[in-house]
Amino acid sequence: MNSLKDFIKAFFANKGQYVFFSLLIAKICAFSGSVMMIRILPEKEFGILSVVASVFAIFVPFSGFGSFQSLIRFGSLSSTEKEKKDLSDYLFKRGLIYQLLLSIVFFLIAFFYTTYYYYIFYIFIFFAIRLIGVYFLSHKQVELRIHMKNKEYAMLNNIVNIGGLIMMIGFSLLWGLYGYLLANLIAPFLSLFWYRKPLLAIKVSAMQFQKKEIWSFAFHASVTALLSDAFFSADILLLNYFKDENVVANYKVVLLIPSNITFLALSFMQSDYPVLAKNSYNRSFLISYIINYYKVFIPVSILIFVFGYLFSNTLLELFFGLKYSDNSFAFSLLLGAFCGSMLLRNLYGNMLSAVGLMKRNTFYSVLSLVLLVGFSFVLVSEDGVVGMAASLAATLTIIGFLMMFSFSVYLRKLK
């Protein structure tokens, strides 16, 4: 992969275009659903839903206690189809047990909120069941990826996301908030149509990797993912602590577009992850990959930021209504932060994972939360939405440079 031409050619050879468009469709569906709920629900009700969704987002990456994160790493390193299948079957059955326990813990958290919002209990029930469906979806997604079936992976994503959006529109018009919750509950369970045999009939065979090695990586990967998603939920929870539901709703609105642009980088990293894992010790390949990645994403990031900055008021008014258009500065600040994240945090976080340095990612995830909380205590009380946007932007930038430094150290150790 010595040139940009080879980089792009490899992306298409891996069916990366299908991954790209499936992630684009997923973002459009999620964005459309959020816009619809913003317009339908009162600010307070939308703020409460955002609180539950933020707690849910913390639990999602911990699905199966990291079983699917371990599957993508060690499945990519497996040399035969049988080895991949044996590993997948083992992680599925063990991970499902952990997932059921996780859903119970998630549901119990509802009791901490019922004192403040009496009907939040019912919202937690829907999300707890959805969490089980997310496990089935996540496992099947990774299983398809390690077999390099990116086209089928994209089809699975498209059916779940488009089907979920159609159900959400129909059910929301019929039953309001609870229709929206029901549609979101059902959507991930559509992945069950991809399971070729009864789930309980799956048998576990011997594997080439040690179970200790598998679950050690799974633990650090899940903790990293948990802390990473907790980071993107902590801002909502901190705002809810310092301010009120109306401020949460305003921040959620300005965050929606900037946080979704990272799917551009994610589409490359998801399609290329198995290849990166196989080339963990190939220094020239890794350096070439980073250089060519920058050739694509530096211009893309600049164009996105300039366009978003110039038309920030227009975009906010167009998608969310006039009442949210005063948040243009916070919107631009977050847009710049996430453009920078594509060049630093997204790239080097995935690279560290692919080469097996998950403990580094775990450390940086912990540090991210510490920095975000620290900045928030200083900035949010006075500046509200802008203060939280500045806190998030500063944290993303600092962590991104630290990840780049860690990967540079790793590259220098390779011969």
Side-chain angles (χ1 to χ4, degrees):
M1 197 178 291
N2 297 319
S3 67
L4 180 59
K5 181 180 178 181
D6 292 335
F7 181 76
I8 300 297
K9 189 175 180 180
F11 176 74
F12 284 102
N14 293 332
K15 307 295 182 184
Q17 69 273 27
Y18 292 103
V19 177
F20 172 83
F21 284 112
S22 73
L23 291 175
L24 175 61
I25 290 170
K27 292 298 182 183
I28 291 173
C29 290
F31 180 78
S32 301
S34 296
V35 169
M36 182 176 178
M37 298 314 293
I38 287 170
R39 290 186 172 274
I40 289 177
L41 296 178
E43 281 188 0
K44 182 175 181 179
E45 201 166 283
F46 179 70
I48 293 172
L49 180 63
S50 297
V51 170
V52 182
S54 296
V55 177
F56 177 80
I58 293 173
F59 278 76
V60 168
F62 216 57
S63 293
F65 285 16
S67 60
F68 70 90
Q69 287 102 327
S70 201
L71 178 59
I72 185 64
R73 162 70 177 164
F74 292 99
S76 299
L77 295 175
S78 299
S79 56
T80 68
E81 294 299 305
K82 185 180 184 304
E83 289 173 354
K84 294 177 190 290
K85 180 183 178 299
D86 291 342
L87 179 66
S88 178
D89 289 349
Y90 165 73
L91 287 171
F92 175 81
K93 295 201 78 170
R94 180 64 64 86
L96 182 57
I97 297 171
Y98 296 149
Q99 183 64 24
L100 295 175
L101 295 174
L102 193 68
S103 291
I104 293 172
V105 173
F106 172 81
F107 173 70
L108 293 176
I109 291 177
F111 292 97
F112 290 100
Y113 286 93
T114 50
T115 304
Y116 306 101
Y117 315 111
Y118 70 94
Y119 62 90
I120 206 171
F121 179 83
Y122 303 104
I123 299 176
F124 265 94
I125 293 175
F126 281 95
F127 275 92
I129 299 173
R130 172 178 165 80
L131 194 58
I132 298 172
V134 168
Y135 173 76
F136 292 123
L137 174 61
S138 299
H139 181 88
K140 182 52 64 175
Q141 285 175 324
V142 171
E143 190 175 67
L144 293 172
R145 287 173 61 194
I146 63 173
H147 290 284
M148 300 303 290
K149 295 180 179 180
N150 283 335
K151 186 175 181 179
E152 191 173 348
Y153 163 84
M155 184 183 298
L156 168 62
N157 282 354
N158 292 341
I159 289 177
V160 169
N161 288 297
I162 296 174
L165 179 62
I166 293 171
M167 286 190 293
M168 189 211 71
I169 293 171
F171 293 176
S172 296
L173 292 174
L174 289 172
W175 304 301
L177 173 62
Y178 290 103
Y180 170 83
L181 293 171
L182 181 61
N184 275 273
L185 182 156
I186 295 173
F189 283 99
L190 295 176
S191 62
L192 291 176
F193 290 106
W194 267 259
Y195 286 84
R196 307 300 185 193
K197 56 186 175 181
L199 301 180
L200 297 178
I202 292 176
K203 296 181 180 180
V204 178
S205 304
M207 299 173 296
Q208 64 167 328
F209 301 106
Q210 295 295 321
K211 292 181 181 180
K212 182 178 179 180
E213 180 185 17
I214 290 172
W215 288 108
S216 174
F217 184 90
F219 171 76
H220 287 97
S222 58
V223 170
T224 299
L226 173 68
L227 293 172
S228 179
D229 278 22
F231 171 74
F232 287 109
S233 298
D235 50 0
I236 301 293
L237 299 176
L238 285 167
L239 266 183
N240 189 54
Y241 173 77
F242 285 114
K243 298 294 183 178
D244 56 32
E245 293 80 12
N246 293 336
V247 178
V248 170
N250 277 269
Y251 177 75
K252 184 74 173 180
V253 164
V254 298
L255 180 67
L256 198 56
I257 293 176
S259 63
N260 277 300
I261 66 169
T262 56
F263 89 92
L264 296 169
L266 188 62
S267 63
F268 271 81
M269 301 308 297
Q270 284 206 2
S271 61
D272 291 340
Y273 187 99
V275 179
L276 290 169
K278 289 179 180 179
N279 288 276
S280 298
Y281 304 106
N282 188 335
R283 185 173 184 273
S284 61
F285 177 89
L286 296 174
I287 292 175
S288 178
Y289 186 90
I290 293 170
I291 292 172
N292 287 304
Y293 178 93
Y294 279 143
K295 288 178 182 178
V296 173
F297 282 100
I298 287 178
V300 167
S301 298
I302 292 172
L303 287 173
I304 289 174
F305 177 72
V306 171
F307 178 83
Y309 176 77
L310 294 176
F311 298 98
S312 56
N313 287 91
T314 304
L315 290 170
L316 289 171
E317 184 176 344
L318 175 64
F319 288 108
F320 309 113
L322 187 61
K323 63 181 178 180
Y324 293 111
S325 61
D326 292 337
N327 296 302
S328 60
F329 178 73
F331 173 84
S332 298
L333 188 58
L334 287 169
L335 190 65
F338 280 98
C339 284
S341 185
M342 286 197 294
L343 302 177
L344 295 170
R345 186 178 179 275
N346 293 126
L347 171 61
Y348 292 107
N350 278 285
M351 297 288 279
L352 288 170
S353 173
V355 300
L357 297 178
M358 190 53 70
K359 291 182 180 179
R360 303 281 180 86
N361 276 342
T362 303
F363 170 75
Y364 289 131
S365 295
V366 173
L367 183 59
S368 295
L369 281 172
V370 173
L371 289 175
L372 182 63
V373 172
F375 285 131
S376 297
F377 269 91
V378 175
L379 301 174
V380 173
S381 297
E382 295 294 329
D383 298 319
V385 173
V386 173
M388 183 53 73
S391 300
L392 187 67
T395 304
L396 285 174
T397 303
I398 292 170
I399 294 300
F401 278 111
L402 289 174
M403 285 182 167
M404 181 176 69
F405 173 76
S406 287
F407 196 75
S408 298
V409 171
Y410 171 78
L411 285 177
R412 284 198 293 269
K413 292 180 179 179
L414 295 178
K415 295 182 180 179

